[in-house]
Amino acid sequence: MSRYLLRRMLIAVPSLLGISVVLFTVLALAPGDPFGELATNPNVPPEVGAALRAKFGLDDPVWLRYLHWLVAMLHGDWGFSFVSRMDVDRLILQRLPATLLVIGSSQVLALLVALPVGVLAARRPYSLFDQIANTFAFIGFSLPTFFTGLLFILVFSIYLDWLPFVFRADLAATGWRWYWEEFRQSIMPVAVLGLFQGAAWTRYVRSAVLDVIRLDYVTTARAKGIAESAVITRHVVRNALIPVVTLVALSMPAVFGGAIITEQIFRVPGIGSLLISSILANDTPVIMAVTFVFACLVILFNLLADILYGWLDPRISYR
């Protein structure tokens, strides 16, 4: 396992370098200037704008700017936000807890929905439960998150007045009251993301379990008199989860990207809203840092999926 992990880490290094080159080049060549407003502001002398551009190296060639960025990243310096006037790593760490709360909770909810519903639907294919589950699954992943988010706000915030539709990072409550308010304002964004992902994963779980449940070794296990619950949990679900693990691992970085819309709808002060505001303001260091983190997440979750394969199926060896 250690040799396998070391080899995968060595492969990840050139991959991340290539991704960083492409991202930096595209952002550097994109139209827009973070200090463009200074040039049109009569109250700011031209030499001030020129000094700022020279300080941050915006007039240097693209390859030289990339080398400076890469060296700084290797030393733990993620750059300086032109808009927020603070270090990028501090800015991201301020927004990260809200994103992790919403994303993590939504993925737990999606798995809690997809696994039992998908397995039960596969055990009784074409039954009433299976048809109802498939209908709701199709509806769930056919509706975009911005529509369900607005629908949730309309029903639970406007009509029923049960939940707040604006996520606040500066809650005035303390103690248990703070936890309760944090829970209330997280319900809708977590439900929107979790139910959307759960609906899509339910179809995959059902399909994977159907493929495994008809195999000969499952029939043999039943013929030996093993309890049906043990057959399903130990012999069917464990092997059926291998393609599902691939799906979950590969879709996890996309969930961070998809959460951008949800964070905008509910005003969640997370990474997604930070990326949108940075793009609108041409805040290149923040855009580069966030997109590079997304690229690292893709490689990380691919590695986690490969490790989980060996736990789910002992026949898989790491060589």
Side-chain angles (χ1 to χ4, degrees), residues 92-159:
I92 291 178
L93 288 177
Q94 287 180 358
R95 300 294 193 101
L96 191 60
T99 296
L100 291 180
L101 172 65
V102 174
I103 298 287
S105 302
S106 66
Q107 299 315 290
V108 171
L109 175 62
L111 289 173
L112 290 177
V113 170
L115 289 179
V117 174
V119 172
L120 291 175
R123 287 185 61 183
R124 297 178 178 85
Y126 311 111
S127 63
L128 179 61
F129 177 83
D130 185 28
Q131 294 177 15
I132 294 175
N134 282 326
T135 300
F136 279 103
F138 278 121
I139 295 174
F141 69 76
S142 298
L143 297 177
T145 53
F146 69 85
F147 176 81
T148 53
L150 294 175
L151 184 63
F152 274 40
I153 290 175
L154 187 63
V155 174
F156 296 106
S157 296
I158 305 301
Y159 288 160

Side-chain angles (χ1 to χ4, degrees), residues 4 11 15 26 29 61 71 81 129 164 227 241-242 250 259 269 279 285 306:
Y4 173 78
I11 295 174
S15 301
V26 170
L29 298 179
V71 172
S81 173
F129 177 83
L241 283 180
I242 294 177
L250 294 181
I279 292 174
D306 291 341

Side-chain angles (χ1 to χ4, degrees), residues 6-199:
L6 179 61
R7 187 167 67 250
R8 288 296 300 268
M9 293 296 181
L10 293 176
I11 295 174
V13 172
S15 301
L16 289 175
L17 282 176
I19 292 171
S20 65
V21 169
V22 174
L23 287 175
F24 194 92
T25 304
V26 170
L27 291 175
L29 298 179
D33 187 348
F35 298 120
E37 295 182 0
L38 297 180
T40 58
N41 191 340
N43 298 321
V44 179
E47 56 270 18
V48 173
L52 287 173
R53 295 184 65 86
K55 177 182 178 181
F56 292 104
L58 296 181
D59 294 325
D60 295 337
V62 175
W63 65 269
L64 184 59
R65 291 163 58 187
Y66 172 75
L67 288 179
H68 288 162
W69 175 85
L70 181 61
V71 172
M73 281 288 291
L74 294 176
H75 286 85
D77 182 7
W78 289 35
F80 186 80
S81 173
F82 302 140
V83 176
S84 301
R85 305 292 191 269
M86 61 188 303
D87 293 334
V88 174
D89 53 352
R90 272 185 55 202
L91 185 60
I92 291 178
L93 288 177
Q94 287 180 358
R95 300 294 193 101
L96 191 60
T99 296
L100 291 180
L101 172 65
V102 174
I103 298 287
S105 302
S106 66
Q107 299 315 290
V108 171
L109 175 62
L111 289 173
L112 290 177
V113 170
L115 289 179
V117 174
V119 172
L120 291 175
R123 287 185 61 183
R124 297 178 178 85
Y126 311 111
S127 63
L128 179 61
F129 177 83
D130 185 28
Q131 294 177 15
I132 294 175
N134 282 326
T135 300
F136 279 103
F138 278 121
I139 295 174
F141 69 76
S142 298
L143 297 177
T145 53
F146 69 85
F147 176 81
T148 53
L150 294 175
L151 184 63
F152 274 40
I153 290 175
L154 187 63
V155 174
F156 296 106
S157 296
I158 305 301
Y159 288 160
L160 299 178
D161 196 21
W162 287 354
L163 302 171
F165 62 88
V166 175
F167 193 102
R168 295 182 54 190
D170 55 344
L171 292 174
T174 58
W176 288 106
R177 182 69 181 176
W178 183 88
Y179 288 103
W180 171 246
E181 293 297 330
E182 186 77 12
F183 173 75
R184 288 183 68 244
Q185 70 178 1
S186 301
I187 289 177
M188 287 199 293
V190 168
V192 167
L193 279 176
L195 295 179
F196 178 80
Q197 286 294 117

Side-chain angles (χ1 to χ4, degrees), residues 240-255:
L241 283 180
I242 294 177
V244 177
V245 165
T246 305
L247 172 71
V248 173
L250 294 181
S251 63
M252 198 64 68
V255 172

